[in-house]
Amino acid sequence: MDVNEVPQDPKNFKGAENLKKLMYATDKDGKYTGVVSSGWEAENAATKQAWDDVDENLAKTEAQVRAGELSPIAYYMEKNLMELSLLAKYVGKWQWQVKRHFKPSVFNNMDATLLQKYADVFNITTEELKSFGK
Amino acid sequence: MSTNNFVHKQHAHCESGVTANLLTHHGLPISEPLAFGIGAGLFFAHIPFVKVSGTPGTTFRTWPGAIFKRVAERLEVKVHTEKFSNPQKANAALDMALEAGKPVGMLSSVFYLPYLPEAFRFHFNAHNLIAYGKENGLYNISDPILEDVATIDPEDLAKARFAKGTPEPKGFMYYINDIPKSVDFNKAIKAGIKQTCFFMLSPPLPWFGNKAIGLLAKKIKGYPTKLTPRKASLYLGNIIRMQEEIGTGGAGFRYLYAAFLQEASEMMKRDDLAQFSTELTKIGDDWRNFAYYAARQMKNRSGDIVSYDELSDLLNVCGTKEKDLFQRMQKIKW
């Protein structure tokens, strides 16, 4: 890639425009040099798609929490870009236990210590966790 | 406390960037491409059955930690590395090293680094950064992918260093203790190139090295019939991100490696390495071409079989050319 061909397509979402990264390209004598790039259309589209997917899933889960089908834990797990396996590691539980905590009936009877543990992992208060979707 | 005169320089990739900045600080000036090549950073793997955030794992680089370790070994630099059982011990050890005037490299999860834009903060646990001081309760951070230095709260840093998942950094930190009086760069370059050729050509399993490029090409051919259009788009998007998003220097580290070969050719006065560099630059352009069309296919989501076939062919071009290049490079008479 020629230094003049290094794309400068800014990524205008979620603060990405604030990060300009270094690319390696060749100058007119074929010598490699570092060039700062704002982004590239192809790569921007891929990043954007990954986030759109997250947002779409999150909206679905939020609706399910509001409808009383899932507990707020399912929502905050996705909001923190976690999968069941990762969340289970963070709270020190088995995956099937975390899955059980997705049930509103189980969540509503959760003891304060465990609730606090989840809130800490999600970086919110227990109040925020309990009241979400109400 | 602050390590004196630490100079932050932006690089393309976190680990080779940290390696270059640390060595340069300790009086052994080295470019990022040189660190990347000596550390044999270039690789390829596609492991369909290991899913990362729901998409098959693809990587263009060697495993985390390998670059720094190999560069240190090959240049006979004495380093200290340590893992910790808890954040308190990890932060205490970090403070002690900084008191002693040493900039410290660390593994971290990008998800817990507030100074990075949200767009890039996924659960990726193998990000390298340097702390070079502590002022007013905040650590001074040199993150090689950033143009400028940053700061971070000790609590946030502890979270980033003790992220869970795969891999788990467990507070891993490293710093340089001693630089040898003289360094044999030629020997180190040779070892690095030999290792890269070996890792690209020799793995007997289909998921690693050059073979895996062909495997991915084959898989892409099957996307329109085996996956929903949405899944196929996400899978393609993930390949593009691994190849181009932050930290590869373009074309999945191919340009960075070509820059290394060029620098090596000048240091060793070898025209053959310059020739390989020029060739790899062109192959890098082929990878970019693949990413360009993959992005178009991804946005279009039509599940058009012809396009997926074409993408697969574009990828096979990269794989075939690289195989030939590494086979010839492996036969270099040193």
Side-chain angles (χ1 to χ4, degrees):
Chain A
M1 184 170 55
D2 194 87
V3 283
N4 302 314
E5 290 166 3
V6 174
Q8 303 291 349
D9 312 329
K11 274 189 206 212
N12 285 313
F13 60 95
K14 294 192 193 276
E17 60 277 11
N18 298 324
L19 198 158
K20 294 204 173 84
K21 57 176 187 169
L22 193 79
M23 306 272 297
Y24 283 89
T26 48
D27 66 14
K28 59 178 180 358
D29 302 317
K31 193 157 170 50
Y32 263 101
T33 178
V35 179
V36 173
S37 163
S38 315
W40 180 33
E41 192 195 339
E43 157 217 337
N44 297 354
T47 312
K48 178 94 174 40
Q49 180 189 248
W51 279 103
D52 286 347
D53 186 59
V54 168
D55 291 340
E56 260 174 59
N57 288 332
L58 201 55
K60 267 186 230 159
T61 307
E62 182 173 348
Q64 282 177 292
V65 176
R66 289 190 188 281
E69 293 161 17
L70 283 173
S71 81
I73 289 176
Y75 172 82
Y76 279 106
M77 175 181 85
E78 284 184 19
K79 187 156 177 55
N80 283 276
L81 310 178
M82 289 181 181
E83 289 166 341
L84 186 61
S85 55
L86 187 58
L87 178 57
K89 273 186 192 160
Y90 270 107
V91 291
K93 295 278 172 198
W94 298 101
Q95 293 189 27
W96 63 265
Q97 291 176 299
V98 174
K99 220 170 187 170
R100 245 185 102 242
H101 301 151
F102 288 174
K103 287 186 189 166
S105 57
V106 176
F107 175 76
N108 291 336
N109 294 316
M110 192 175 275
D111 69 67
T113 328
L114 187 54
L115 208 57
Q116 187 63 52
K117 217 173 195 175
Y118 273 111
D120 287 345
V121 170
F122 299 140
N123 207 13
I124 53 173
T125 64
T126 51
E127 265 327 295
E128 281 175 274
L129 182 58
K130 276 196 288 191
S131 62
F132 180 80
K134 292 256 156 60
Chain B
M1 61 190 143
S2 177
T3 48
N4 294 329
N5 320 320
F6 181 82
V7 179
H8 168 79
K9 190 165 183 266
Q10 185 184 22
H11 296 290
H13 174 57
C14 66
E15 191 176 332
S16 47
V18 161
T19 304
N21 282 346
L22 283 180
L23 286 171
T24 304
H25 175 82
H26 285 277
L28 182 59
I30 180 172
S31 71
E32 179 187 25
L34 206 51
F36 186 75
I38 290 174
L42 194 77
F43 191 49
F44 188 84
H46 179 69
I47 316 174
F49 50 88
V50 175
K51 297 277 198 291
V52 184
S53 303
T55 46
T58 307
T59 182
F60 289 78
R61 52 153 298 172
T62 188
W63 46 91
I67 297 175
F68 180 77
K69 195 171 159 238
R70 291 171 188 162
V71 171
E73 276 170 13
R74 287 180 183 150
L75 297 179
E76 293 172 24
V77 171
K78 290 206 173 64
V79 299
H80 174 85
T81 62
E82 200 172 354
K83 280 188 179 181
F84 300 91
S85 53
N86 67 57
Q88 289 73 31
K89 282 186 193 162
N91 273 3
L94 170 61
D95 287 350
M96 258 174 61
L98 290 173
E99 295 267 14
K102 293 192 184 296
V104 179
M106 278 170 283
L107 265 189
S108 63
S109 160
V110 286
F111 187 77
Y112 296 104
L113 299 175
Y115 62 77
L116 289 180
E118 192 193 353
F120 304 111
R121 288 170 59 190
F122 282 81
H123 289 278
F124 171 70
N125 288 355
H127 184 62
N128 291 269
L129 50 84
I130 295 172
Y132 65 94
K134 196 179 184 184
E135 276 173 311
N136 308 321
L138 296 177
Y139 288 106
N140 291 327
I141 299 295
S142 157
D143 189 319
I145 66 163
L146 297 184
E147 287 177 280
D148 293 314
V149 292
T151 56
I152 193 168
D153 185 274
E155 217 173 288
D156 288 328
L157 183 62
K159 267 191 189 169
R161 295 176 72 191
F162 283 86
K164 299 208 186 295
T166 321
E168 293 197 357
K170 295 191 198 301
F172 185 70
M173 71 173 211
Y174 48 96
Y175 54 80
I176 292 173
N177 269 333
D178 197 29
I179 297 277
K181 281 195 182 64
S182 69
V183 169
D184 189 347
F185 272 110
N186 291 4
K187 199 174 126 206
I189 288 168
K190 199 171 115 180
I193 290 178
K194 277 190 172 173
Q195 189 173 34
T196 296
C197 291
F198 178 80
F199 276 123
M200 284 309 243
L201 299 172
S202 302
L205 301 168
W207 309 292
F208 306 103
N210 184 271
K211 281 194 191 87
I213 302 174
L215 172 71
L216 177 59
K218 207 169 111 192
K219 291 276 172 192
I220 287 177
K221 212 172 257 238
Y223 283 1
T225 49
K226 294 202 172 115
L227 301 170
T228 61
R230 182 192 169 89
K231 265 260 149 89
S233 276
L234 281 171
Y235 281 19
L236 278 186
N238 188 59
I239 301 163
I240 301 169
R241 289 175 65 209
M242 291 301 120
Q243 188 188 313
E244 300 295 339
E245 202 182 57
I246 301 293
T248 77
F253 301 100
R254 269 56 187 169
Y255 294 140
L256 183 50
Y257 200 77
F260 156 69
L261 290 174
Q262 187 178 67
E263 197 173 337
S265 85
E266 284 159 16
M267 291 172 81
M268 299 177 81
K269 311 222 173 350
R270 292 191 68 117
D271 291 340
D272 52 354
L273 293 181
Q275 186 54 40
F276 286 129
S277 170
T278 311
E279 270 185 56
L280 189 58
T281 302
K282 291 205 182 97
I283 297 173
D285 294 344
D286 292 334
W287 279 101
R288 297 273 289 182
N289 197 37
F290 162 75
Y292 176 81
Y293 285 104
R296 279 180 50 162
Q297 181 63 30
M298 176 191 87
K299 282 192 276 190
N300 142 26
R301 285 200 188 183
S302 66
D304 185 345
I305 291 176
V306 177
S307 305
Y308 278 96
D309 277 352
E310 280 165 357
L311 278 181
S312 174
D313 292 344
L314 287 176
L315 199 53
N316 267 324
V317 167
C318 302
T320 310
K321 284 189 188 169
E322 272 186 13
K323 187 177 179 184
D324 173 55
L325 183 143
F326 286 113
Q327 278 176 338
R328 281 179 289 127
M329 205 151 77
Q330 200 170 35
K331 290 189 193 118
I332 287 180
K333 297 265 178 289
W334 296 96

